[in-house]
Amino acid sequence: MNIIGSAVVLTVDDPALSSRFFVSHLGFREVLVAQGITHLARDDAATDIVLRSSVGPGISQRHPPTQVRAVVSFTVTGIHAEYERLRREGARITLPPRMEPWGEWGLQLTDPNGVVIQLVEWIPPAGA
């Protein structure tokens, strides 16, 4: 198998709200906007994001969606500078930067539809 790309598909109540969040705060751009679907991409190695409406065509009314809490995680550099930028922009930061025991800095944001975005940066322990 030769995988040449990847995307995370998120079903949300209002794709336009999530799209504005990903575009404004995380540097994505809209590649395709169609009925109930918005495809977002970046020019780096980030996974594409596809936002799908939780109502409308293609959504089964017989089987209501199961509430699944997904976390979209991006590895970044300069996490503290990103935190300050996001704070200035008014992004909803739901967990400020913290150091995990295994040497990873992490912070979490939540978009208007409740999608949790985690930013992480690996900082090797001193002497490693």
Side-chain angles (χ1 to χ4, degrees):
M1 175 183 346
N2 180 29
I3 297 174
I4 60 169
S6 60
V8 173
V9 179
L10 302 170
T11 301
V12 297
D13 290 338
D14 188 338
L17 274 177
S18 287
S19 179
R20 281 193 296 275
F21 185 89
F22 277 86
V23 169
S24 296
H25 299 301
L26 300 173
F28 282 82
R29 61 180 159 56
E30 291 182 343
V31 175
L32 171 71
V33 178
Q35 186 177 3
I37 297 253
T38 302
H39 186 136
L40 305 173
R42 290 178 45 103
D43 293 330
D44 56 17
T47 298
D48 288 3
I49 303 290
V50 176
L51 303 165
R52 182 175 67 173
S53 178
S54 60
V55 294
I59 303 299
S60 171
Q61 301 304 319
R62 291 184 314 218
H63 304 290
T66 303
Q67 185 67 23
V68 176
R69 182 179 167 111
V71 175
V72 178
S73 183
F74 298 111
T75 303
V76 301
T77 58
I79 196 165
H80 295 289
E82 292 300 329
Y83 168 71
E84 291 301 325
R85 177 187 63 80
L86 291 163
R87 196 175 56 75
R88 281 191 310 273
E89 291 176 356
R92 184 173 163 214
I93 298 168
T94 48
L95 191 61
R98 69 182 192 290
M99 172 62 91
E100 300 292 354
W102 52 87
E104 175 183 88
W105 276 98
L107 71 90
Q108 285 186 348
L109 314 164
T110 302
D111 92 339
N113 282 297
V115 175
V116 176
I117 299 101
Q118 176 179 299
L119 302 181
V120 297
E121 181 177 18
W122 171 251
I123 306 293

